[in-house]
Amino acid sequence: MAERVSVFPVDPGLVLGSIGTHGTDPGRLVDADDGGDRVRLRVQLAVECLPVRYRDVIELRYYGRLSYREIGRWCDCDASTALRRERAALAELRRLIVCLSL
């Protein structure tokens, strides 16, 4: 089986804005010395750790900027299922980012 590679660029601002920082000072998330590269890599790693059905929804919604209806067509589900998957994916991303010490 071939390794699945994302076709979308990582934009941690879009994802982090959706999952929230839960009281974390956003200035702490980006180290001035690395220009945000560390944050991008950790967000990318967290997204890659998601189950495929969640990862697809996150990539299509935040990186591809598709509507829930379009995501549903892409993932062969209805728009409400795409929305539920996004909510579950964001909850999992919150957990993963904490585990990755972001």
Side-chain angles (χ1 to χ4, degrees):
M1 179 181 281
E3 181 179 336
R4 187 179 175 287
V5 178
S6 173
V7 296
F8 299 106
V10 174
D11 186 347
L14 290 173
V15 177
L16 288 175
S18 296
I19 63 174
T21 56
H22 299 284
T24 302
D25 175 14
R28 272 191 33 210
L29 294 175
V30 179
D31 185 347
D33 294 336
D34 68 12
D37 289 340
R38 187 178 64 194
V39 173
R40 278 184 204 79
L41 291 173
R42 287 185 180 166
V43 170
Q44 183 177 15
L45 178 61
V47 170
E48 289 173 1
C49 290
L50 291 171
V52 173
R53 69 181 183 276
Y54 293 164
R55 184 172 55 230
D56 286 346
V57 170
I58 292 297
E59 289 178 347
L60 293 169
R61 181 74 176 156
Y62 294 96
Y63 305 146
R65 299 179 187 238
L66 298 182
S67 70
Y68 294 112
R69 181 175 288 161
E70 292 168 319
I71 294 169
R73 279 189 240 136
W74 184 268
C75 296
D76 197 29
C77 65
D78 58 33
S80 63
T81 299
L83 176 61
R84 282 193 304 275
R85 287 181 185 175
E86 179 200 29
R87 288 180 181 165
L90 292 174
E92 183 65 12
L93 277 174
R94 284 184 197 103
R95 189 188 69 75
L96 287 168
I97 288 173
V98 167
C99 291
L100 293 170
S101 301
L102 183 64

